[in-house]
Amino acid sequence: MRPREAGKSSGQSSIKGQIKLGLDRERDGILQLPKAETNSPLPLLLLLHGATQSADDMFEYLGSAHEEAGVAVLAPNSREQTWDAITDSFGPDVEFLNRALERVFEMVAIDATRIAVGGFSDGATYAISLGLINGDLFSRVVGFSPGFVVDGTPQGKPRFFISHGTRDYILPIDRCGRRIAADLKSRGYDVTFREFDGNHEIPADVMREGLRWVSSELSPPISQTTQIRTLNW
């Protein structure tokens, strides 16, 4: 799935603030747009929550980071308590993410060269896995304290920003964040790895750094088509 035209979506950037997408009565997706006026397409971060969490929790972590970086944030809810491929395989959650992205592309002008997927904990695991499989759509992938990577056929060459606390007792850094970052580097990916003195969390300065990284113009334009496709899985 991608914006309908190269470089921008068919929507407008005049919409501001937080918007519920209206795709599901119980477990919807939430779009948060910067308040600052802009005539340019926005970078977009698809941000995935951790196990037993919800989309609302991700905005607690975000604080004002998205405003400072000028990034639109789409936070969907998983269909169950965590994302499907964490315990089984890609399926209903990917279908919902496609619907949510399609709705956003219809509503808001999105910069097609700066579409990122990210998440925290299980959401980070899911984001890294989806990002590898859909690197021709997601130019950047953000993993805040990921656990592992779900196998899939890689596409494209996305860049990665991974953070992890040195005192994480839920997903220990040695067998999780450090191992994932080292593996991605060994496979030729551009990886920014940020360790911090902390637990299983996203410190405010790490979140701000991650969002600035998402909004920066690092990536060359991605080859676009005029058709919206579904995410690969």
Side-chain angles (χ1 to χ4, degrees):
M1 180 172 301
R2 60 191 65 239
R4 292 179 184 274
E5 299 177 17
K8 65 179 182 178
S9 70
S10 58
Q12 303 299 316
S13 293
S14 58
I15 305 170
K16 304 297 176 187
Q18 191 172 106
I19 305 157
K20 290 190 176 181
L21 299 184
L23 298 175
D24 188 280
R25 183 175 298 178
E26 299 297 327
R27 298 188 66 79
D28 201 8
I30 303 171
L31 176 65
Q32 178 75 51
L33 298 173
K35 297 176 183 176
E37 294 290 335
T38 179
N39 293 320
S40 301
L42 293 166
L44 174 68
L45 173 61
L46 174 62
L47 189 59
L48 311 178
H49 61 76
T52 74
Q53 293 184 326
S54 70
D56 292 302
D57 291 313
M58 299 315 296
F59 293 106
E60 295 294 325
Y61 290 123
L62 274 170
S64 61
H66 62 290
E67 293 285 358
E68 297 168 14
V71 174
V73 177
L74 169 59
N77 281 288
S78 59
R79 301 303 83 201
E80 302 295 339
Q81 288 194 333
T82 192
W83 304 93
D84 48 27
I86 301 300
T87 57
D88 190 5
S89 61
F90 293 112
D93 282 323
V94 173
E95 294 172 8
F96 185 77
L97 295 183
N98 277 315
R99 292 173 60 205
L101 284 169
E102 183 173 25
R103 179 65 58 87
V104 171
F105 293 157
E106 290 171 349
M107 295 169 59
V108 184
I110 297 298
D111 183 345
T113 70
R114 291 186 291 169
I115 301 176
V117 60
F120 171 63
S121 192
D122 274 8
T125 293
Y126 204 77
I128 291 172
S129 304
L130 273 185
L132 284 167
I133 299 169
N134 292 273
D136 52 345
L137 170 61
F138 300 116
S139 60
R140 306 159 200 227
V141 182
V142 184
F144 299 111
S145 305
F148 57 96
V149 177
V150 180
D151 288 336
T153 303
Q155 300 285 338
K157 207 71 173 180
R159 292 182 168 96
F160 292 84
F161 177 96
I162 298 173
S163 70
H164 217 110
T166 56
R167 295 183 285 110
D168 191 331
Y169 61 93
I170 295 176
L171 296 173
I173 189 172
D174 281 338
R175 65 177 176 85
C176 296
R178 285 174 180 160
R179 177 178 292 182
I180 292 169
D183 178 65
L184 290 171
K185 287 180 181 179
S186 72
R187 294 164 63 183
Y189 291 98
D190 183 323
V191 181
T192 298
F193 185 49
R194 172 78 150 81
E195 294 187 13
F196 60 89
D197 181 20
N199 295 314
H200 196 61
E201 58 185 316
I202 315 175
D205 62 325
V206 174
M207 177 62 82
R208 286 194 297 270
E209 184 179 346
L211 268 288
R212 287 196 300 268
W213 181 84
V214 167
S215 67
S216 63
E217 297 188 11
L218 293 172
S219 301
I222 299 174
S223 176
Q224 301 294 314
T225 67
T226 57
Q227 298 296 316
I228 291 180
R229 68 162 173 79
T230 57
L231 294 173
N232 293 323
W233 74 87

